Amino acid sequence: MLTILTLAALIAASGATPVPANKLLSFDQSNSKLEFIGSYDDEPIEGRFEKFSGTVNLTDPTKPAFDVQVQVGSLNSDYADRDMVLKNSDWFDAE
């Protein structure tokens, strides 16, 4: 069983759709990543969410705001048995 799952969202800034400065940027899923890193028995686990969307609001550049929607059921750690456990009601309840 997973003892610790620390999510670290890594979103490639270069994947945002260019717009004029100090405005709203939208993630381009084809050029962006949303990944996670965790551990199981002190072994690292890496994975990604295949389906997500979001924006970065730079209207006030001193207070950037992220709005990200993630389809948790799109979780993929390249290990189907682990993915099934993570998607069940003990973790993300995404079944």
Side-chain angles (χ1 to χ4, degrees):
M1 170 173 275
L2 288 171
T3 56
I4 299 173
L5 180 63
T6 304
L7 294 180
L10 303 173
I11 302 171
S14 63
T17 304
V19 296
N22 299 326
K23 297 293 179 186
L24 192 66
L25 303 174
S26 296
F27 295 116
D28 176 354
Q29 190 171 336
S30 67
N31 291 312
S32 302
K33 296 178 184 179
L34 185 60
E35 300 176 327
F36 63 87
I37 300 170
S39 65
Y40 173 75
D41 287 339
D42 295 322
E43 293 295 320
I45 298 171
E46 297 183 17
R48 64 198 167 279
F49 294 98
E50 306 277 341
K51 297 179 181 177
F52 61 92
S53 62
T55 58
V56 180
N57 188 333
L58 297 174
T59 303
D60 180 351
T62 64
K63 297 179 184 176
F66 288 81
D67 180 24
V68 180
Q69 297 81 41
V70 179
Q71 291 186 21
V72 181
S74 72
L75 176 143
N76 185 342
S77 68
D78 293 324
Y79 185 63
D81 290 341
R82 177 176 44 234
D83 293 350
M84 186 172 59
V85 169
L86 291 172
K87 292 177 187 180
N88 77 26
S89 61
D90 290 338
W91 289 94
F92 291 119
D93 199 14
E95 295 183 293

